[in-house]
Amino acid sequence: MSPRPAGVEDAQWRDWTWQMRERIRTPEALARYVRPTEDERRAIALLGERFHFVITPYYASLMDPDDPDCPIRRQVVPRLAELTDPSGVADPLDEVAHSPVKNVIRAYPDRIAFCVNNECALYCRFCLRKRMVGDEEWTMKRRELEAGLDWIRRTPEIRDVLLTGGDPLTFGDDRLAWLLEALRGIPHVEIVRLGTRLPVTLPFRVTDALCRMLETYHPLWVNVHFNHPRELTPEAAEACDRLLRAGIPVGNQSVLLRGINDDVATMQALCEGLVRMRVRPYYCYQAQLLEGTAHFRVPIEDGIALFRALRGRTSGFAIPLYVLDTPHGKVPLTYPHVRGREGDHVLVETWDGTPWRELNPERSGGGA
Ligand code: SF4
């Protein structure tokens, strides 16, 4: 880890507004934390405008200054490899086509993702929404947020609303409270979820005042996005703890990333570290066929083998569900532990490969 720069007081460092103002946007600013390689410098120059290069000082302080393959650094510092991927597309989940109004994405009958802003504390190089995050065109004006809320009011099937973005916690407390108040005023909205990476990338955003406000809008759930055990810092643990103490269940959604978390030991350390923080590993996503991200993608067979290997090695609830997101919803990518049937027995395979025959009579013909 890099130390925080000389001259920065603890109070400044822990002030989330200071962190947002002082975000790193140039190779020169990055050089206060790491020694950028020539590849990184050129990639920042060539890619900075296409997909913004922005990092919080806090997250930069987690980087290894001398190792360009540092798993923190690789998530947020551009590489020239982003320019040589011919395979990806801009919107692999066809989210624009699934939007009845701007930034409301509906892939299921009863729930939506509502992208309430286009701003994040930093920009992850593998971001599914890199087509919109940091892009002015996707800024949500107040009247556009109202249009999304109106659509939800007029659509009584929607019982579950995920506020995402960008990152909804980059809003100030007042704006977020206004949005939550409006959603809570819609009788058919049973639960609200927040998808945020700020507890990972800017944990000081999770203030006591924010949590006091959030807990007035229950039932509220939060999903965070840790990808590597090195992100599980005391500051991040405190942020999650504040959310949990406000009565908010916290789950984690990670992305399987080549060279970052695609080996059993790293994934196990991540999941067990999350559980120690009382954060439930929920999903691990297969990285999408997204432009500029081929160097991050892991073959699905390798992902299935990885999560197969975790089974039996750690607590069941420490193992997230490995999923592929598609324009038609999520698909679990699981090892087939059920191996077939022999007469009245179903054949299964236990965690250590032991075959087991479970008596399970065939369905009788007449039953419902
Ligand atoms: S924090 Fe989430 S939405 Fe923002 S750039 Fe990273 S992955 Fe994308």
Side-chain angles (χ1 to χ4, degrees):
M1 264 172 55
S2 316
R4 75 176 186 237
V8 178
E9 302 293 330
D10 189 54
Q12 278 179 317
W13 187 254
R14 300 182 77 86
D15 174 350
W16 76 276
T17 60
W18 180 90
Q19 289 272 341
M20 288 294 278
R21 280 195 307 278
E22 297 297 320
R23 286 183 295 172
I24 296 155
R25 298 170 186 274
T26 63
E28 295 70 35
L30 181 65
R32 297 179 76 190
Y33 297 85
V34 302
R35 273 170 277 287
T37 63
E38 192 48 32
D39 183 288
E40 288 171 327
R41 284 180 183 278
R42 286 187 54 216
I44 292 169
L46 292 168
L47 282 155
E49 284 310 306
R50 261 168 65 179
F51 181 53
H52 292 285
F53 164 67
V54 178
I55 310 175
T56 55
Y58 164 81
Y59 199 70
S61 78
L62 306 184
M63 295 177 183
D64 185 322
D66 298 311
D67 179 10
D69 289 330
C70 156
I72 305 298
R73 194 159 155 176
R74 282 203 50 219
Q75 291 185 56
V76 288
V77 179
R79 292 280 190 94
L80 289 176
E82 289 182 39
L83 287 163
T84 54
D85 170 16
S87 58
V89 293
D91 183 10
L93 299 184
D94 227 1
E95 291 188 328
V96 173
H98 284 82
S99 298
V101 289
K102 182 177 173 181
N103 284 8
V104 168
I105 301 159
R106 188 184 196 184
Y108 302 96
D110 68 328
R111 66 209 106 125
I112 53 158
F114 189 9
C115 298
V116 292
N117 65 7
N118 65 337
E119 176 82 1
C120 293
L122 49 67
Y123 297 115
C124 312
R125 305 316 298 175
F126 48 85
C127 177
L128 169 67
R129 302 215 171 96
K130 56 165 48 176
R131 71 177 191 282
M132 63 177 279
V133 290
D135 185 333
E136 282 301 307
E137 187 195 334
W138 293 94
T139 306
M140 285 294 273
K141 300 184 182 69
R142 175 86 169 217
R143 65 179 157 73
E144 290 168 327
L145 289 170
E146 294 273 17
L149 291 165
D150 274 349
W151 182 88
I152 298 167
R153 273 186 208 102
R154 286 184 279 107
T155 314
E157 310 89 91
I158 301 302
R159 46 164 283 282
D160 176 352
V161 174
L162 166 66
L163 298 183
T164 178
D167 197 311
L169 288 194
T170 57
F171 277 166
D173 292 2
D174 290 349
R175 195 169 177 83
L176 195 54
W178 167 78
L179 200 50
L180 291 168
E181 185 81 32
L183 286 167
R184 275 284 153 258
I186 303 175
H188 54 265
V189 173
E190 294 172 12
I191 59 165
V192 177
R193 292 188 274 169
L194 294 169
T196 175
R197 214 176 175 209
L198 264 68
V200 185
T201 59
L202 180 46
F204 313 122
R205 170 65 186 101
V206 185
T207 60
D208 289 332
L210 173 73
C211 293
R212 277 196 300 276
M213 181 273 283
L214 292 177
E215 71 183 337
T216 63
Y217 295 106
H218 277 311
L220 200 66
W221 295 62
V222 165
N223 276 319
V224 293
H225 177 173
F226 290 92
N227 284 327
H228 191 274
R230 220 185 272 179
E231 295 169 335
L232 305 175
T233 63
E235 292 87 346
E238 284 165 21
C240 293
D241 185 59
R242 281 193 285 276
L243 291 167
L244 289 158
R245 282 170 193 269
I248 302 169
V250 181
N252 188 63
Q253 304 190 144
S254 53
V255 181
L256 188 62
L257 297 167
R258 193 200 302 172
I260 292 177
N261 59 14
D262 65 333
D263 65 283
V264 175
T266 303
M267 187 56 76
Q268 185 170 352
L270 171 64
C271 295
E272 291 178 350
L274 286 165
V275 168
R276 282 197 298 277
M277 285 166 41
R278 291 178 289 135
V279 173
R280 169 80 200 269
Y282 176 39
Y283 282 142
C284 181
Y285 287 94
Q286 171 67 11
Q288 295 290 330
L289 272 174
L290 190 75
E291 58 189 3
T293 63
H295 56 300
F296 285 122
R297 279 199 294 280
V298 176
I300 287 176
E301 296 85 344
D302 293 356
I304 291 172
L306 188 159
F307 289 99
R308 163 78 179 85
L310 279 184
R311 184 73 43 201
R313 278 187 197 225
T314 190
S315 320
F317 64 87
I319 305 174
L321 187 63
Y322 177 40
V323 292
L324 173 70
D325 214 348
T326 77
H328 310 286
K330 293 178 188 66
V331 179
L333 300 170
T334 50
Y335 180 81
H337 284 272
V338 177
R339 309 301 288 178
R341 175 178 271 282
E342 266 180 22
D344 277 351
H345 289 84
V346 162
L347 309 180
V348 298
E349 182 183 300
T350 64
W351 69 273
D352 59 355
T354 307
W356 177 257
R357 292 158 55 85
E358 179 72 10
L359 183 62
N360 182 41
E362 302 245 21
R363 287 196 194 106
S364 59

